């Protein structure tokens, strides 16, 4: 079979057509590859931005909600107290923490977000303090709950469960709780039912001794002095404690005192919710004291502080060497007649203070030393979140190339303002 013969022009035309077709095919392939690269770069940049945002957000959350408690509480330490040698050995030192007015919100006045925030703060602060400081006993000076005076049986059970989760502790730590007016109500609201409900969970112990140190925990809500049933029982129990403390100082051989185990020979530490009587907080000072505009406001007896009469009874019956109280949500240190010092412990809740704190005490049977441990300031946490939000905004503007235009717009506005 004879092959067709092509002229030179025809051959050149076919070659040019073949070259053009291959050129356009390659060009289209290159164009498609370039478009794919252009689509790939924005996707990769978006992923990089998302990764940066995620890292910043997680880092700020971990710092503000977890690590800041270790950073702040790491600066706290137990105060030194004098120890005397007895029988060739040093007197043991008891490490005790004192905090007050946690005010766990209830179902009536507590918004779920507020509850979540405040409870997380107190839980982290308490658990961090236990891990770093390792106290032997912790005392909470009343107003554990905010709505104990109103809560139903189910609401009370729910509040107790939340408290036990937040303030969980190992067997090496003892937790002691004092009754406050928000736990059982003011005197006119207090009832046998509410008091027994509280004592069923937290115990009815009034006298507690550890390492030679005596503590007396008073239901100060019942120190009304009007002869009510609960008040009469409280006063009778305190008089019995007074007798036991007096017996510990008598020479062995007395028929009245030898019938029962003796308490350690040590003046007690008085723990209660209401402060002993004082006219106001006018003489209180310090960064966690009441605001200046509130310090000169007179206190109302049986509402802000105990009455003069009840205060005198407690000082006379128990002759304490130290008094610790709560209720005012602010710090104060006063000396009562006879030289007895009283320290008011500020609230442990950020809902009540920007700078909550607690007291650390090193105690022996004869001496004691106190120091204050501050928790993270809420202003610091909020400022950190605000700075992080600003940084994230700058990061996003840089990514979308809007930052120069924003600065230029700001500069123009500033110049316009100066001209005017």
């Amino acid at each position: 079979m004879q092959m067709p013969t092509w002229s030179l022009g025809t051959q050149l035309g076919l070659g040019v057509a073949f070259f053009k077709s291959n050129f356009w095919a390659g060009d289209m392939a290159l164009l498609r590859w370039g478009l794919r690269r252009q689509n790939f770069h924005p996707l990769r940049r978006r992923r990089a931005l998302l990764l940066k945002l995620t890292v910043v957000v997680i880092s700020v959350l971990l710092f503000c909600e977890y690590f800041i408690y270790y950073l702040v509480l790491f600066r706290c330490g137990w105060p030194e107290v004098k120890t005397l040698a007895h029988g060739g050995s040093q007197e043991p030192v008891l490490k005790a923490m004192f905090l007050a007015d946690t005010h766990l919100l209830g179902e009536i006045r507590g918004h779920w977000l507020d509850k979540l925030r405040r409870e997380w703060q107190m839980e982290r602060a308490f658990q961090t303090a236990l891990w770093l400081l390792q106290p032997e006993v912790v005392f909470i000076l009343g107003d554990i709950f905010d709505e104990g005076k109103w809560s139903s049986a189910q609401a009370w059970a729910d509040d107790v469960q939340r408290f036990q989760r937040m303030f969980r502790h190992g067997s090496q730590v003892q937790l002691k709780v004092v009754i406050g007016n928000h736990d059982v109500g003011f005197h006119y609201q207090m009832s046998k039912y509410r008091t027994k409900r509280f004592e069923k969970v937290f115990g009815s112990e009034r006298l507690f001794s550890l390492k030679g140190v005596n503590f007396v925990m008073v239901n100060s809500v019942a120190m009304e002095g009007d002869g009510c049933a609960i008040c009469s029982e409280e006063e009778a129990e305190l008089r019995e404690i007074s007798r036991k403390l007096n017996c510990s100082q008598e020479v062995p051989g007395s028929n009245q005192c030898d019938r029962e185990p003796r308490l350690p020979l040590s003046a007690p530490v008085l723990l209660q919710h209401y402060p002993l009587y004082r006219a106001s907080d006018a003489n209180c000072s310090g960064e966690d004291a009441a605001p200046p505009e509130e310090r000169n406001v007179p206190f109302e007896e049986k509402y802000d502080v105990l009455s003069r009469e009840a205060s005198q009874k407690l000082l006379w019956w128990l002759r304490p060497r130290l008094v610790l109280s709560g209720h005012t949500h602010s710090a104060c240190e006063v000396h009562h007649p006879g030289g007895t010092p009283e320290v008011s412990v500020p609230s442990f809740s950020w809902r009540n203070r920007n700078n909550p704190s607690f007291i650390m005490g090193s105690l022996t049977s004869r001496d004691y030393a106190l120091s204050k441990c501050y928790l993270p300031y809420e202003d610091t946490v909020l400022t950190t979140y605000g700075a992080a939000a600003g940084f994230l905004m700058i990061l996003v503007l840089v990514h979308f190339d809007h930052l120069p235009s924003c600065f230029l717009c700001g500069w123009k506005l500033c110049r316009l303002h100066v001209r005017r």
Side-chain angles (χ1 to χ4, degrees), residues 226-280:
D226 63 351
C228 74
I230 301 176
C231 302
S232 299
E233 291 176 6
E234 183 71 17
E235 291 193 7
E237 191 167 359
L238 290 173
R239 284 193 293 268
E240 177 62 18
I241 291 173
S242 175
R243 186 190 68 80
K244 291 180 179 180
L245 291 169
N246 290 332
C247 283
S248 68
Q249 301 178 20
E250 291 187 6
V251 178
S254 170
N255 293 331
Q256 182 181 3
C257 296
D258 283 349
R259 300 173 184 173
E260 58 188 65
R262 292 205 170 203
L263 297 173
L265 181 57
S266 175
V269 176
L270 177 60
L271 306 174
Q272 57 188 30
H273 181 63
Y274 283 129
L276 296 177
Y277 174 78
R278 61 176 183 261
S280 67

Side-chain angles (χ1 to χ4, degrees), residues 3 24 26 32 93 117 131 138 151 168-169 176 191 208 217-218 223 270 287 296 300 316 332 351 360 385 410 414:
M3 295 294 293
W24 285 111
R32 285 194 297 270
V93 178
R117 177 68 182 152
W131 189 81
V138 178
S151 56
R168 61 190 180 276
H169 53 89
K176 303 293 182 179
S191 65
F208 170 71
M217 297 175 286
V218 176
M223 295 300 295
L270 177 60
E287 58 183 309
N296 293 312
E300 181 182 346
W316 173 252
C332 188
R351 194 169 187 262
M360 301 170 61
Y385 276 129
C414 288

Side-chain angles (χ1 to χ4, degrees), residues 97-103 138-144 176-184 198 205-208 214-224 234-235 238 241 268-278 299 302-330 332 334 336 340-347 359:
M97 272 176 54
F98 305 92
L99 52 104
D101 296 276
T102 55
H103 283 274
V138 178
F139 295 98
I140 305 181
L141 306 180
D143 279 1
I144 313 304
K176 303 293 182 179
V177 177
V178 176
I179 293 178
N181 59 288
H182 276 264
D183 300 317
V184 297
F198 185 92
E205 190 176 26
R206 293 287 182 267
L207 179 61
F208 170 71
N214 296 317
F215 297 94
V216 180
M217 297 175 286
V218 176
N219 176 6
S220 53
V221 184
M223 295 300 295
E224 189 78 5
E234 183 71 17
E235 291 193 7
L238 290 173
I241 291 173
V269 176
L270 177 60
L271 306 174
Q272 57 188 30
H273 181 63
Y274 283 129
L276 296 177
Y277 174 78
R278 61 176 183 261
F299 281 150
K302 303 181 181 181
Y303 187 85
D304 299 309
V305 293
L306 288 180
S307 65
R308 289 183 176 88
E309 181 183 359
S311 301
Q312 291 169 358
K313 282 183 179 179
L314 290 173
L315 292 173
W316 173 252
W317 288 340
L318 304 173
R319 301 187 184 278
R321 53 176 167 150
L322 173 66
V323 181
L324 288 154
S325 58
H327 188 58
T328 63
H329 298 176
S330 300
C332 188
V334 296
H336 296 285
T340 303
E342 179 179 7
V343 176
S344 291
V345 182
S347 174
I359 300 294

Side-chain angles (χ1 to χ4, degrees), residues 79-86 90-96 98 210-215 264-269 320-322 324 341 360-371:
E80 294 186 4
V81 63
K82 298 177 183 178
T83 58
L84 302 176
H86 293 282
Q90 291 291 328
E91 192 174 13
V93 178
L94 175 65
K95 295 179 179 180
F98 305 92
L210 184 63
K211 282 191 171 182
V213 182
N214 296 317
F215 297 94
L265 181 57
S266 175
V269 176
R321 53 176 167 150
L322 173 66
L324 288 154
M360 301 170 61
S362 300
L363 303 102
T364 66
S365 62
R366 299 168 183 262
D367 205 350
Y368 68 87
L370 303 178
S371 66

Side-chain angles (χ1 to χ4, degrees), residues 71-88:
L71 184 65
V72 172
L73 294 179
F74 184 76
R75 299 177 297 177
C76 301
W78 293 102
E80 294 186 4
V81 63
K82 298 177 183 178
T83 58
L84 302 176
H86 293 282

